Amino acid sequence: MPPESPRLAVVCNDVRSEVRAAHAAQRLQCALLCDVDPKRLQDLDFVLLYDEQGLSIQETGAKAPGPVRAEFITGAVGHRYRFGGGKGQQIAKAVGVKAGVYPHVLDLTAGLGRDGFVLASLGCRVTLVERSLPVWLLLEDGLQRARQMAEESELQRVLERIELIAMDGLQYLNGLVEPPDVVYLDPMFPERHKSAEVKKEMRAFHQLVGRDDDADDLLLSALGQARYRVVVKRPRKAPLLAQREPSYQLSGKTTRFDVYALRKLPGQWPEPAASKTACATE
């Protein structure tokens, strides 16, 4: 039998977010609660919590870990943006980013959007596709807060390169008219890291989103749609998707990138214009 869906509600503890919270509850078809402590809600598994810091996913219960948010300016993602190694990063090499080469990347398994944001910061136009509505709402909120906080013009340009879509990845891929330069996949699998912070996030995501059991189909479809290459991010020792051998691999301590090169990237093209700033939905 398939696992039961987590019990979920929207909690609004910030009067400025009441309209957004009501809209989210309506879309999720779940209860809307106001001015309550999520850790005292024993009859729910998770809440989408609107407070003065924005939107987060919060587990319930007295011993629940802290909230999970989509952050792009502060925390680990902000640090990576400022000090992450630029085009020397493995993800940049896997996608093919280099001076004068800025592919349009279609990220079909967006998650918290961290890799997509890194690629946008390197000059790529990035389309983030996320099928889980709670996670999409986190991404929408994170990008909106980042745009409000972005004071430097360069960071504003980075955020303008990101487009956000709420849709099943395979459905979106099969409906494409214009092929993306690169399709990027980071499928959801069981926990693969040991840090408490990652375990906290992954526990919430696995229960809310579930595993990407269609990852093999995503790869096979992507190979028929991408213009230049498909890149799959995997745990370092994980099996290949669809048992398809990549053209080459880039491996680190915990993860690797399987690169399926379909044709050679152009030697140079202009840095892309801004993507759509509005978030698109199904």
Side-chain angles (χ1 to χ4, degrees):
M1 294 180 61
E4 293 184 4
S5 300
R7 297 167 299 174
L8 177 70
V10 174
V11 170
C12 183
N13 290 346
D14 178 22
V15 65
R16 297 169 300 178
S17 301
E18 288 180 350
V19 173
R20 295 175 60 209
H23 182 60
Q26 182 180 32
R27 294 189 63 184
L28 291 166
Q29 297 183 333
C30 67
L32 171 62
L33 309 173
C34 296
D35 299 323
V36 297
D37 182 354
K39 294 191 175 184
R40 295 189 177 185
L41 297 173
Q42 302 296 326
D43 58 340
L44 296 170
D45 298 309
F46 296 92
V47 298
L48 279 178
L49 174 63
Y50 287 86
D51 59 19
E52 65 278 0
Q53 298 181 61
L55 177 62
S56 64
I57 290 178
Q58 170 70 64
E59 289 189 62
T60 60
K63 297 183 179 180
V68 176
R69 303 179 193 276
E71 297 286 2
F72 298 102
I73 294 182
T74 61
V77 181
H79 184 272
R80 187 178 177 186
Y81 166 67
R82 294 173 178 84
F83 309 106
K87 296 181 178 65
Q89 298 176 77
Q90 281 196 332
I91 188 173
K93 295 177 181 178
V95 168
V97 180
K98 56 185 178 181
V101 179
Y102 309 97
H104 169 213
V105 180
L106 172 58
D107 183 349
L108 287 176
T109 52
L112 287 175
R114 293 170 175 171
D115 287 344
F117 178 79
V118 168
L119 292 170
S121 73
L122 297 174
C124 296
R125 181 166 62 89
V126 178
T127 302
L128 298 175
V129 178
E130 177 53 53
R131 64 181 169 190
S132 166
L133 184 53
V135 178
W136 182 88
L137 289 167
L138 282 186
L139 283 168
E140 180 192 40
D141 178 77
L143 289 169
Q144 180 178 345
R145 285 186 288 107
R147 291 181 179 116
Q148 292 172 347
M149 295 169 61
E151 298 179 354
E152 54 184 288
S153 57
E154 176 55 33
L155 184 54
Q156 292 171 358
R157 287 194 293 270
V158 169
L159 294 165
E160 287 170 356
R161 296 185 192 114
I162 299 174
E163 179 183 10
L164 178 58
I165 304 290
M167 188 178 290
D168 176 79
L170 193 58
Q171 178 185 357
Y172 183 82
L173 189 62
N174 290 337
L176 283 175
V177 175
E178 182 69 20
D181 299 320
V182 177
V183 174
Y184 183 82
L185 302 173
D186 182 11
M188 184 73 70
F189 285 93
E191 294 174 10
R192 62 195 186 208
H193 300 294
K194 296 182 179 179
S195 76
E197 184 70 16
V198 173
K199 283 186 177 181
K200 175 188 70 176
E201 293 183 2
M202 296 305 288
R203 180 167 63 238
F205 269 54
H206 278 289
Q207 292 190 48
L208 280 173
V209 184
R211 295 175 55 170
D212 287 321
D213 292 325
D214 61 349
D216 288 350
D217 294 334
L218 279 173
L219 172 61
L220 296 176
S221 184
L223 290 172
Q225 292 280 10
R227 182 178 278 121
Y228 297 110
R229 63 178 63 178
V230 177
V231 176
V232 181
K233 184 179 181 180
R234 299 283 280 145
R236 188 170 64 88
K237 296 183 179 180
L240 299 170
L241 286 189
Q243 299 182 341
R244 291 290 293 265
E245 288 286 341
S247 305
Y248 60 92
Q249 295 176 320
L250 298 172
S251 295
K253 292 182 179 180
T254 59
T255 61
R256 73 169 194 265
F257 294 95
D258 296 341
V259 181
Y260 298 83
L262 304 176
R263 55 187 59 85
K264 186 176 180 180
L265 283 160
Q268 187 169 2
W269 55 46
E271 187 169 346
S275 184
K276 301 175 183 177
T277 57
C279 298
T281 61
E282 295 179 288

Coordinates of all heavy atoms in Angstrom, one line a residue, residues 96-174:
G96 N 28.4 23.1 -18.3 CA 29.1 23.6 -19.4 C 29.3 25.1 -19.3 O 29.7 25.8 -20.3
V97 N 29.1 25.7 -18.1 CA 29.3 27.2 -18.0 C 30.8 27.5 -18.0 O 31.6 26.9 -17.4 CB 28.7 27.7 -16.7 CG1 28.9 29.2 -16.5 CG2 27.3 27.3 -16.6
K98 N 31.1 28.5 -18.9 CA 32.5 29.0 -18.9 C 32.4 30.4 -19.5 O 31.3 30.9 -19.9 CB 33.4 28.2 -19.7 CG 33.0 27.9 -21.1 CD 34.0 26.9 -21.8 CE 33.5 26.6 -23.2 NZ 34.4 25.6 -23.8
A99 N 33.5 31.1 -19.5 CA 33.5 32.5 -20.0 C 32.8 32.5 -21.4 O 33.3 31.9 -22.4 CB 34.9 33.0 -20.1
G100 N 31.8 33.3 -21.6 CA 31.1 33.4 -22.8 C 30.1 32.4 -23.1 O 29.4 32.4 -24.2
V101 N 29.9 31.4 -22.3 CA 29.0 30.3 -22.5 C 28.0 30.2 -21.3 O 28.4 29.8 -20.2 CB 29.7 28.9 -22.7 CG1 28.7 27.8 -22.9 CG2 30.7 29.0 -23.9
Y102 N 26.7 30.5 -21.5 CA 25.7 30.6 -20.5 C 24.5 29.8 -21.0 O 23.5 30.5 -21.4 CB 25.4 32.0 -20.1 CG 26.6 32.9 -19.8 CD1 27.2 33.7 -20.8 CD2 27.2 32.9 -18.6 CE1 28.3 34.5 -20.6 CE2 28.3 33.6 -18.3 CZ 28.9 34.4 -19.3 OH 30.0 35.2 -19.1
P103 N 24.4 28.5 -20.8 CA 23.3 27.8 -21.3 C 22.0 28.1 -20.6 O 22.0 28.5 -19.4 CB 23.7 26.3 -21.1 CG 25.2 26.3 -20.8 CD 25.5 27.7 -20.2
H104 N 20.9 27.9 -21.2 CA 19.6 28.0 -20.6 C 19.4 26.6 -19.9 O 19.4 25.6 -20.6 CB 18.5 28.2 -21.6 CG 17.1 28.0 -21.0 ND1 16.0 27.6 -21.7 CD2 16.6 28.2 -19.7 CE1 15.0 27.5 -21.0 NE2 15.3 27.8 -19.7
V105 N 19.2 26.6 -18.6 CA 19.1 25.3 -17.8 C 17.7 25.1 -17.4 O 17.1 26.0 -16.7 CB 20.1 25.3 -16.6 CG1 20.0 24.0 -15.9 CG2 21.5 25.5 -17.1
L106 N 17.1 24.0 -17.7 CA 15.8 23.6 -17.2 C 16.0 22.6 -16.1 O 16.5 21.4 -16.3 CB 15.0 22.9 -18.4 CG 13.7 22.2 -18.0 CD1 12.8 23.3 -17.3 CD2 13.1 21.6 -19.2
D107 N 15.8 23.0 -14.8 CA 15.9 22.2 -13.6 C 14.5 21.6 -13.3 O 13.6 22.3 -12.8 CB 16.4 23.1 -12.5 CG 16.6 22.3 -11.2 OD1 16.2 21.1 -11.1 OD2 17.2 22.9 -10.3
L108 N 14.4 20.3 -13.6 CA 13.1 19.7 -13.5 C 12.8 19.2 -12.1 O 11.6 18.8 -11.8 CB 13.0 18.5 -14.5 CG 12.9 18.8 -15.9 CD1 12.9 17.6 -16.8 CD2 11.6 19.6 -16.2
T109 N 13.7 19.2 -11.2 CA 13.5 18.8 -9.8 C 14.0 19.9 -8.9 O 15.0 19.7 -8.2 CB 14.2 17.4 -9.6 OG1 15.6 17.5 -10.0 CG2 13.6 16.3 -10.3
A110 N 13.4 21.0 -8.8 CA 13.9 22.2 -8.3 C 14.2 22.1 -6.8 O 15.2 22.7 -6.3 CB 13.0 23.4 -8.5
G111 N 13.4 21.4 -6.0 CA 13.6 21.4 -4.6 C 13.6 22.8 -3.9 O 12.7 23.6 -4.2
L112 N 14.6 23.0 -3.2 CA 14.8 24.4 -2.5 C 15.4 25.4 -3.5 O 15.7 26.5 -3.1 CB 15.5 24.3 -1.2 CG 14.7 23.6 -0.1 CD1 15.6 23.5 1.2 CD2 13.5 24.5 0.3
G113 N 15.7 25.0 -4.7 CA 16.2 25.9 -5.7 C 17.7 26.3 -5.5 O 18.1 27.3 -6.2
R114 N 18.5 25.6 -4.7 CA 19.8 26.1 -4.4 C 20.7 25.9 -5.7 O 21.5 26.9 -6.0 CB 20.4 25.3 -3.3 CG 19.7 25.6 -2.0 CD 20.1 24.6 -0.9 NE 19.5 25.0 0.4 CZ 19.5 24.2 1.5 NH1 20.1 23.0 1.4 NH2 19.0 24.6 2.6
D115 N 20.7 24.8 -6.3 CA 21.6 24.6 -7.5 C 21.1 25.6 -8.6 O 22.0 26.1 -9.3 CB 21.5 23.2 -8.0 CG 22.3 22.2 -7.1 OD1 23.1 22.7 -6.2 OD2 22.1 21.0 -7.2
G116 N 19.8 25.7 -8.8 CA 19.3 26.7 -9.8 C 19.8 28.1 -9.6 O 20.2 28.8 -10.5
F117 N 19.8 28.5 -8.3 CA 20.3 29.8 -8.0 C 21.8 30.0 -8.3 O 22.2 31.0 -8.8 CB 20.0 30.1 -6.5 CG 20.5 31.5 -6.0 CD1 19.8 32.6 -6.3 CD2 21.7 31.6 -5.4 CE1 20.2 33.9 -5.9 CE2 22.2 32.8 -5.0 CZ 21.4 34.0 -5.2
V118 N 22.5 28.9 -7.9 CA 24.0 29.0 -8.2 C 24.2 29.2 -9.7 O 25.0 30.0 -10.2 CB 24.7 27.7 -7.7 CG1 26.1 27.6 -8.3 CG2 24.7 27.7 -6.2
L119 N 23.5 28.4 -10.5 CA 23.6 28.5 -12.0 C 23.2 29.9 -12.5 O 23.9 30.4 -13.4 CB 22.8 27.4 -12.7 CG 23.4 26.0 -12.5 CD1 22.4 24.9 -13.0 CD2 24.7 25.8 -13.1
A120 N 22.1 30.4 -12.0 CA 21.7 31.8 -12.3 C 22.8 32.8 -12.0 O 23.1 33.8 -12.7 CB 20.4 32.1 -11.7
S121 N 23.5 32.6 -10.8 CA 24.5 33.5 -10.4 C 25.7 33.4 -11.3 O 26.5 34.4 -11.3 CB 24.9 33.2 -8.9 OG 25.7 32.0 -8.8
L122 N 25.9 32.3 -12.0 CA 27.0 32.2 -12.9 C 26.7 32.7 -14.3 O 27.5 32.7 -15.2 CB 27.4 30.7 -13.0 CG 27.9 30.1 -11.7 CD1 28.1 28.6 -11.9 CD2 29.2 30.7 -11.3
G123 N 25.4 33.2 -14.5 CA 25.1 33.8 -15.8 C 24.0 33.0 -16.6 O 23.6 33.5 -17.7
C124 N 23.6 31.8 -16.1 CA 22.6 31.1 -16.9 C 21.2 31.6 -16.7 O 20.9 32.1 -15.6 CB 22.7 29.6 -16.5 SG 24.2 28.8 -16.8
R125 N 20.4 31.5 -17.7 CA 18.9 31.6 -17.5 C 18.4 30.3 -17.0 O 18.7 29.2 -17.6 CB 18.2 32.0 -18.8 CG 16.7 32.2 -18.6 CD 16.2 33.0 -19.8 NE 16.3 32.3 -21.1 CZ 15.5 31.4 -21.5 NH1 14.3 31.1 -20.8 NH2 15.7 30.8 -22.7
V126 N 17.7 30.2 -15.9 CA 17.3 29.0 -15.3 C 15.7 28.9 -15.1 O 15.1 29.9 -14.6 CB 17.9 28.9 -13.9 CG1 17.5 27.6 -13.2 CG2 19.4 28.9 -14.0
T127 N 15.2 27.8 -15.6 CA 13.8 27.5 -15.3 C 13.6 26.5 -14.3 O 14.1 25.4 -14.5 CB 13.1 27.1 -16.6 OG1 13.2 28.1 -17.6 CG2 11.6 26.8 -16.4
L128 N 13.1 26.8 -13.1 CA 12.9 25.9 -12.0 C 11.5 25.3 -12.1 O 10.5 26.0 -12.2 CB 13.0 26.6 -10.7 CG 14.3 27.2 -10.4 CD1 14.2 28.0 -9.0 CD2 15.4 26.2 -10.3
V129 N 11.4 24.0 -12.2 CA 10.1 23.3 -12.2 C 9.9 22.4 -11.0 O 10.8 21.6 -10.7 CB 10.0 22.4 -13.5 CG1 8.7 21.6 -13.5 CG2 10.1 23.2 -14.8
E130 N 8.9 22.6 -10.3 CA 8.6 21.9 -9.0 C 7.2 21.4 -9.0 O 6.2 22.2 -9.1 CB 8.9 22.8 -7.8 CG 8.6 22.1 -6.5 CD 9.3 20.8 -6.3 OE1 10.5 20.7 -6.5 OE2 8.6 19.8 -6.0
R131 N 7.0 20.1 -8.8 CA 5.6 19.6 -8.8 C 4.9 19.6 -7.5 O 3.7 19.5 -7.5 CB 5.6 18.2 -9.4 CG 6.4 17.2 -8.6 CD 6.3 15.8 -9.3 NE 7.3 14.9 -8.7 CZ 7.5 13.7 -9.2 NH1 7.0 13.4 -10.4 NH2 8.4 12.8 -8.6
S132 N 5.6 19.7 -6.4 CA 5.0 19.7 -5.1 C 4.6 21.1 -4.8 O 5.4 22.0 -4.7 CB 6.0 19.2 -4.0 OG 5.6 19.5 -2.7
L133 N 3.3 21.3 -4.6 CA 2.8 22.7 -4.4 C 3.3 23.3 -3.1 O 3.7 24.5 -3.1 CB 1.3 22.7 -4.4 CG 0.6 24.1 -4.2 CD1 1.1 25.0 -5.2 CD2 -0.9 23.9 -4.3
P134 N 3.4 22.5 -1.9 CA 4.1 23.2 -0.8 C 5.5 23.6 -1.0 O 5.9 24.7 -0.6 CB 4.0 22.0 0.3 CG 2.9 21.2 -0.1 CD 2.9 21.2 -1.6
V135 N 6.3 22.8 -1.7 CA 7.6 23.2 -2.0 C 7.7 24.4 -3.0 O 8.5 25.3 -2.9 CB 8.4 22.0 -2.6 CG1 9.9 22.5 -2.9 CG2 8.5 20.9 -1.5
W136 N 6.8 24.4 -4.0 CA 6.7 25.5 -4.9 C 6.4 26.8 -4.2 O 6.9 27.9 -4.4 CB 5.6 25.3 -6.0 CG 5.5 26.4 -7.0 CD1 6.2 26.5 -8.1 CD2 4.6 27.5 -6.9 NE1 5.8 27.6 -8.8 CE2 4.9 28.3 -8.1 CE3 3.7 27.9 -6.0 CZ2 4.2 29.5 -8.3 CZ3 3.0 29.1 -6.2 CH2 3.3 29.9 -7.4
L137 N 5.5 26.7 -3.2 CA 5.1 27.9 -2.4 C 6.4 28.4 -1.6 O 6.6 29.6 -1.5 CB 4.0 27.6 -1.4 CG 2.6 27.4 -2.1 CD1 1.6 26.8 -1.1 CD2 2.1 28.7 -2.6
L138 N 7.2 27.5 -1.1 CA 8.4 27.9 -0.4 C 9.3 28.6 -1.4 O 9.9 29.6 -1.0 CB 9.2 26.6 0.1 CG 8.7 26.0 1.4 CD1 9.7 24.9 1.8 CD2 8.6 27.0 2.5
L139 N 9.5 28.1 -2.6 CA 10.3 28.7 -3.6 C 9.8 30.1 -4.0 O 10.6 31.1 -4.1 CB 10.4 27.8 -4.8 CG 11.3 26.6 -4.7 CD1 11.1 25.7 -5.9 CD2 12.8 27.1 -4.7
E140 N 8.5 30.2 -4.2 CA 7.9 31.5 -4.5 C 8.2 32.5 -3.5 O 8.6 33.6 -3.7 CB 6.4 31.3 -4.8 CG 5.7 32.6 -5.1 CD 4.2 32.5 -5.0 OE1 3.7 31.8 -4.1 OE2 3.5 33.0 -5.9
D141 N 8.0 32.1 -2.2 CA 8.3 33.0 -1.1 C 9.7 33.4 -1.0 O 10.1 34.6 -0.8 CB 7.8 32.4 0.2 CG 8.0 33.2 1.4 OD1 7.3 34.2 1.7 OD2 9.0 33.0 2.2
G142 N 10.6 32.4 -1.1 CA 12.0 32.7 -1.0 C 12.5 33.7 -2.1 O 13.3 34.6 -1.8
L143 N 12.1 33.5 -3.3 CA 12.5 34.3 -4.4 C 11.9 35.7 -4.2 O 12.6 36.8 -4.5 CB 12.0 33.8 -5.7 CG 12.8 32.5 -6.2 CD1 12.0 31.9 -7.4 CD2 14.2 32.9 -6.6
Q144 N 10.6 35.8 -3.7 CA 10.0 37.1 -3.5 C 10.8 37.9 -2.4 O 11.1 39.1 -2.6 CB 8.6 37.0 -3.1 CG 7.9 38.3 -2.8 CD 6.4 38.1 -2.5 OE1 5.8 37.0 -2.7 NE2 5.8 39.1 -2.0
R145 N 11.1 37.2 -1.3 CA 11.9 37.9 -0.2 C 13.3 38.3 -0.7 O 13.8 39.4 -0.4 CB 12.0 36.9 1.0 CG 10.7 36.8 1.8 CD 10.9 36.0 3.0 NE 11.1 34.6 2.8 CZ 12.2 33.9 2.9 NH1 13.3 34.6 3.2 NH2 12.3 32.7 2.6
A146 N 13.9 37.4 -1.5 CA 15.2 37.8 -2.0 C 15.2 39.0 -2.9 O 16.1 39.9 -2.9 CB 15.8 36.6 -2.8
R147 N 14.1 39.1 -3.7 CA 14.0 40.3 -4.6 C 13.8 41.6 -3.8 O 14.3 42.7 -4.1 CB 12.9 40.1 -5.6 CG 13.2 39.0 -6.7 CD 12.1 38.9 -7.7 NE 12.4 37.8 -8.7 CZ 11.8 36.7 -8.8 NH1 10.8 36.4 -8.1 NH2 12.2 35.8 -9.7
Q148 N 13.1 41.4 -2.7 CA 12.8 42.6 -1.8 C 14.1 43.0 -1.1 O 14.3 44.2 -0.8 CB 11.7 42.3 -0.8 CG 10.3 42.1 -1.5 CD 9.3 41.6 -0.5 OE1 9.6 41.1 0.6 NE2 8.0 41.7 -0.9
M149 N 15.0 42.0 -0.8 CA 16.2 42.3 0.0 C 17.4 42.7 -0.9 O 18.4 43.2 -0.4 CB 16.5 41.1 0.8 CG 15.5 40.7 1.9 SD 15.8 39.1 2.7 CE 17.4 39.3 3.4
A150 N 17.3 42.3 -2.2 CA 18.5 42.5 -3.0 C 18.7 44.0 -3.2 O 17.9 44.7 -3.9 CB 18.2 41.8 -4.4
E151 N 19.8 44.5 -2.7 CA 20.2 45.9 -2.8 C 21.2 46.1 -4.0 O 21.2 47.1 -4.6 CB 20.8 46.4 -1.5 CG 19.8 46.3 -0.4 CD 20.4 46.8 0.9 OE1 21.7 47.0 1.0 OE2 19.7 46.9 1.9
E152 N 22.1 45.1 -4.2 CA 23.0 45.3 -5.3 C 22.4 44.9 -6.6 O 21.7 44.0 -6.8 CB 24.3 44.5 -5.0 CG 24.0 43.0 -4.8 CD 25.2 42.2 -4.4 OE1 26.0 42.0 -5.3 OE2 25.3 41.8 -3.2
S153 N 22.8 45.6 -7.7 CA 22.2 45.4 -9.0 C 22.6 44.1 -9.5 O 21.8 43.4 -10.2 CB 22.7 46.5 -9.9 OG 24.1 46.5 -10.0
E154 N 23.8 43.5 -9.2 CA 24.2 42.2 -9.8 C 23.2 41.1 -9.2 O 22.8 40.2 -10.0 CB 25.6 41.9 -9.4 CG 26.1 40.5 -9.8 CD 25.9 40.2 -11.3 OE1 26.0 41.2 -12.1 OE2 25.6 39.1 -11.6
L155 N 22.9 41.2 -7.9 CA 22.0 40.2 -7.4 C 20.6 40.3 -7.9 O 20.0 39.3 -8.2 CB 22.0 40.3 -5.8 CG 21.2 39.3 -5.1 CD1 21.6 37.9 -5.4 CD2 21.3 39.5 -3.6
Q156 N 20.2 41.5 -8.2 CA 18.9 41.7 -8.9 C 18.9 41.0 -10.2 O 17.9 40.4 -10.6 CB 18.6 43.2 -9.0 CG 18.3 43.8 -7.7 CD 18.2 45.3 -7.8 OE1 18.4 45.9 -8.9 NE2 18.0 46.0 -6.7
R157 N 20.0 41.1 -11.0 CA 20.1 40.5 -12.3 C 20.1 39.0 -12.2 O 19.5 38.3 -13.0 CB 21.3 41.0 -13.0 CG 21.2 42.4 -13.5 CD 22.3 42.7 -14.5 NE 23.6 42.7 -13.9 CZ 24.2 43.8 -13.4 NH1 23.5 45.0 -13.4 NH2 25.4 43.7 -12.8
V158 N 20.7 38.5 -11.1 CA 20.7 37.0 -10.9 C 19.3 36.5 -10.7 O 18.8 35.5 -11.4 CB 21.6 36.6 -9.7 CG1 21.3 35.2 -9.3 CG2 23.0 36.9 -10.0
L159 N 18.5 37.2 -9.9 CA 17.2 36.8 -9.6 C 16.2 36.9 -10.8 O 15.3 36.1 -11.0 CB 16.6 37.6 -8.4 CG 17.3 37.3 -7.1 CD1 17.0 38.4 -6.0 CD2 16.9 35.9 -6.5
E160 N 16.5 37.9 -11.6 CA 15.7 38.1 -12.8 C 15.9 37.0 -13.9 O 15.1 36.8 -14.8 CB 16.0 39.4 -13.5 CG 15.5 40.6 -12.7 CD 16.0 41.9 -13.2 OE1 16.9 41.9 -14.1 OE2 15.6 43.0 -12.6
R161 N 17.0 36.2 -13.7 CA 17.3 35.1 -14.7 C 16.5 33.8 -14.3 O 16.5 32.9 -15.0 CB 18.8 34.8 -14.7 CG 19.7 35.9 -15.2 CD 21.1 35.4 -15.3 NE 22.0 36.5 -15.5 CZ 22.9 37.0 -14.7 NH1 23.1 36.3 -13.5 NH2 23.7 38.0 -15.0
I162 N 15.8 33.9 -13.2 CA 15.1 32.7 -12.7 C 13.6 32.7 -12.9 O 12.9 33.7 -12.6 CB 15.3 32.5 -11.2 CG1 16.8 32.3 -10.9 CG2 14.6 31.3 -10.6 CD1 17.2 32.3 -9.4
E163 N 13.1 31.7 -13.6 CA 11.7 31.5 -13.8 C 11.2 30.3 -13.0 O 11.9 29.3 -13.0 CB 11.4 31.3 -15.3 CG 9.9 31.1 -15.6 CD 9.6 30.8 -17.1 OE1 10.6 30.6 -17.8 OE2 8.5 30.8 -17.4
L164 N 10.0 30.4 -12.4 CA 9.5 29.3 -11.5 C 8.2 28.8 -12.0 O 7.3 29.6 -12.3 CB 9.4 29.9 -10.1 CG 8.8 28.9 -9.0 CD1 9.7 27.7 -8.9 CD2 8.7 29.6 -7.7
I165 N 8.1 27.5 -12.2 CA 7.0 26.8 -12.8 C 6.5 25.8 -11.8 O 7.2 25.0 -11.2 CB 7.3 26.1 -14.1 CG1 7.9 27.1 -15.1 CG2 6.1 25.4 -14.7 CD1 7.0 28.1 -15.6
A166 N 5.1 25.8 -11.5 CA 4.5 24.7 -10.7 C 3.9 23.7 -11.7 O 2.8 23.9 -12.2 CB 3.5 25.3 -9.8
M167 N 4.6 22.6 -11.8 CA 4.1 21.5 -12.8 C 4.9 20.3 -12.6 O 6.0 20.3 -12.1 CB 4.2 22.0 -14.2 CG 3.5 21.1 -15.2 SD 3.6 21.7 -16.9 CE 2.5 23.1 -16.8
D168 N 4.3 19.1 -12.9 CA 5.0 17.9 -12.9 C 6.1 18.0 -14.0 O 5.9 18.4 -15.1 CB 4.1 16.7 -13.3 CG 4.8 15.4 -13.4 OD1 5.1 14.8 -12.4 OD2 5.1 15.0 -14.6
G169 N 7.3 17.6 -13.6 CA 8.5 17.7 -14.5 C 8.3 17.0 -15.8 O 8.7 17.5 -16.9
L170 N 7.8 15.8 -15.8 CA 7.7 15.0 -17.0 C 6.7 15.6 -17.9 O 6.8 15.7 -19.1 CB 7.3 13.6 -16.7 CG 7.4 12.5 -17.8 CD1 8.9 12.5 -18.3 CD2 7.0 11.1 -17.3
Q171 N 5.6 16.1 -17.3 CA 4.5 16.8 -18.1 C 5.1 18.0 -18.8 O 4.8 18.3 -19.9 CB 3.3 17.1 -17.2 CG 2.2 17.8 -17.9 CD 1.1 18.2 -16.9 OE1 1.1 17.9 -15.8 NE2 0.1 19.0 -17.4
Y172 N 5.8 18.8 -18.0 CA 6.4 20.0 -18.6 C 7.4 19.7 -19.7 O 7.3 20.4 -20.7 CB 7.1 20.8 -17.5 CG 7.6 22.2 -17.9 CD1 6.8 23.3 -18.0 CD2 9.0 22.3 -18.3 CE1 7.3 24.5 -18.4 CE2 9.5 23.5 -18.7 CZ 8.7 24.6 -18.8 OH 9.2 25.8 -19.2
L173 N 8.2 18.7 -19.5 CA 9.2 18.4 -20.4 C 8.6 17.9 -21.7 O 9.0 18.3 -22.8 CB 10.1 17.3 -19.9 CG 11.4 16.9 -20.6 CD1 12.3 18.1 -20.8 CD2 12.1 15.7 -20.0
N174 N 7.6 17.1 -21.6 CA 6.9 16.5 -22.8 C 6.1 17.6 -23.6 O 5.7 17.4 -24.7 CB 6.0 15.4 -22.5 CG 6.9 14.2 -22.0 OD1 8.0 14.0 -22.4 ND2 6.3 13.3 -21.2

